[in-house]
């Protein structure tokens, strides 16, 4: 099912056992921030992006290498070369995502990002090295920026898709089908929000970080909180602004977010992570966050 009805979704989702697939990825890949710079097209609908003077390419590169090294402690983490003509390419999870045995290629809203979908090295790696089938959504007209717009509970096969300029309802339906999900809840993001993964994280299918201010209507946020209770942190505006909702579980017992996000977490939010059995792993990413995304945006998971 795919629906905007939060109550119907919750009723259905509560009956979904965590037997859909592995709750966390078996590997991940990054794309190096080569040519790290402000993409004006992307900045037009990304309020988190800094002015051009706020971009420090050397610092971003060093932090990106640190992120790869940190994640490599819990799962194999590859890094593809960046492309100076694609300054947002360090956020590959918007363009490439996987289900077991399958690569999904998304359709980006802005032309500066659409060129990323044509990378033959990434497509070829999945096709020729991993023998993955490919579902290519990049040439159809509806924006669907994959796991930027669609947060997935991989254990239960549930999707949470925030609609904005970066993903319309038709795009949400295409992603629901491409990932073969059991159910997807569609909802409008609040004005000024561009991606769901900035306002929501589902960690290993057993906990959620929710930024209520990022949802246009409370019902969707409340349904998600009800589904994952008691392991739910409803993040305050300061936590939201610091990218605390942009987190990932790279293994069953670890929760990863930027050092700035972790510093902004309240004691109550930390208690939620601890109670759900997660060891918080912060990584310095302030230079990368100047580009309007954070840790989750950098990590494309391989299932």
């Amino acid at each position: 099912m795919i629906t905007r009805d939060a109550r119907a979704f919750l009723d259905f989702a509560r009956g979904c056992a965590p037997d859909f697939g592995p709750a966390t990825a078996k590997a991940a890949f990054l794309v190096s921030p080569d040519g790290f710079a402000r993409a004006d097209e992307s900045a037009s609908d990304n309020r988190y992006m800094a002015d051009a003077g706020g971009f420090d390419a050397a610092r971003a590169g060093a932090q990106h290498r640190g992120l790869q090294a940190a994640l490599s402690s819990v799962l194999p983490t590859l890094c593809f070369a960046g492309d100076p003509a694609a300054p947002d390419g360090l956020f590959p999870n918007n363009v490439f995502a996987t289900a077991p045995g399958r690569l999904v290629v998304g359709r980006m809203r802005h032309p500066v990002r659409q060129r990323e979908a044509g990378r033959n090295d990434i497509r070829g790696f999945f096709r020729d090295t991993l023998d993955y089938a490919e579902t290519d959504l990049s040439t159809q007209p509806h924006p669907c920026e994959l796991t930027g717009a669609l947060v997935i509970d991989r254990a239960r096969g549930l999707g949470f898709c925030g609609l904005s300029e970066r993903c319309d309802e038709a795009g949400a339906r295409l992603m629901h089908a491409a990932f073969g999900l059991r159910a997807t809840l569609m909802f409008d993001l609040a004005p000024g929000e561009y991606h769901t993964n900035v306002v929501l994280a589902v960690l290993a299918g057993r906990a959620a970080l929710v930024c209520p201010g990022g949802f246009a209507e409370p019902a969707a946020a409340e349904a998600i909180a009800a589904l994952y209770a008691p392991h739910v942190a409803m993040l305050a505006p300061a936590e939201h602004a610091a990218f605390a909702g942009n987190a990932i579980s790279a293994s069953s017992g670890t929760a990863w977010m930027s050092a700035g996000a972790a510093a902004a977490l309240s004691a109550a939010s930390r208690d939620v992570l601890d109670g759900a059995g997660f060891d918080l792993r912060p990584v310095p990413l302030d230079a990368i966050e100047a580009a309007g995304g954070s840790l989750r945006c950098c990590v494309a998971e391989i299932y």
Side-chain angles (χ1 to χ4, degrees):
M1 68 178 296
I2 180 167
T3 182
R4 282 180 170 268
D5 186 330
R7 173 53 58 183
F9 174 86
L10 180 59
D11 290 344
F12 180 88
R14 280 177 164 158
C16 293
D19 60 359
F20 184 79
T24 59
K26 64 183 179 182
F29 77 86
L30 313 178
V31 172
S32 178
D34 300 326
F36 186 67
R38 188 176 193 267
D40 290 336
E41 284 181 12
S42 298
S44 68
D45 61 354
N46 184 341
R47 65 183 177 87
Y48 298 94
M49 192 176 290
D51 293 334
F55 283 70
D56 184 335
R59 184 172 173 81
Q63 291 183 344
H64 196 268
R65 290 189 292 275
L67 172 62
Q68 183 183 7
L71 291 174
S72 293
S73 69
V74 297
L75 82 169
T77 306
L78 314 175
C79 187
F80 289 92
D83 178 359
D88 286 331
L90 77 160
F91 300 133
N93 83 307
N94 307 157
V95 187
F96 300 102
T98 65
R102 185 166 67 259
L103 174 70
V104 182
V105 184
R107 197 272 191 183
M108 306 302 291
R109 179 191 181 200
H110 295 296
V112 70
R113 299 220 60 189
Q114 290 170 7
R115 65 188 63 156
E116 296 171 43
R119 288 193 58 151
N120 290 324
D121 56 344
I122 295 176
R123 290 185 185 233
F125 171 76
F126 283 95
R127 180 185 65 244
D128 302 329
T129 303
L130 297 186
D131 196 28
Y132 275 33
E134 182 180 288
T135 299
D136 187 358
L137 304 178
S138 67
T139 60
Q140 54 78 41
H142 299 281
C144 49
E145 299 198 354
L146 299 190
T147 53
L150 179 69
V151 171
I152 303 176
D153 178 339
R154 302 282 186 156
R156 291 183 177 86
L158 302 175
F160 306 93
C161 192
L163 305 181
S164 70
E165 293 90 344
R166 304 290 189 97
C167 181
D168 62 17
E169 189 167 321
R173 293 182 181 279
L174 288 167
M175 293 192 297
H176 172 81
F179 289 103
L181 299 175
R182 286 170 168 161
T184 295
L185 175 63
M186 297 183 293
F187 49 88
D188 293 322
L189 294 177
E193 297 294 349
Y194 74 107
H195 271 163
T196 314
N197 74 1
V198 178
V199 304
L200 172 66
V202 174
L203 303 175
R206 67 177 190 270
L209 305 175
V210 184
C211 301
F215 293 73
E217 299 292 340
E222 292 167 358
I224 295 167
L227 182 60
Y228 293 99
H231 302 307
V232 178
M234 302 298 278
L235 301 182
E239 295 171 292
H240 176 178
F243 286 112
N246 193 251
I248 191 170
S249 183
S251 64
S252 63
T254 59
W256 299 78
M257 62 179 64
S258 74
L265 281 181
S266 68
S269 297
R270 287 177 176 271
D271 286 346
V272 167
L273 293 173
D274 185 64
F278 290 107
D279 177 25
L280 180 60
R281 303 284 185 91
V283 182
L285 291 176
D286 56 284
I288 286 173
E289 289 173 342
S294 193
L295 190 148
R296 176 67 187 94
C297 307
C298 294
V299 182
E301 298 170 293
I302 301 175
Y303 284 87

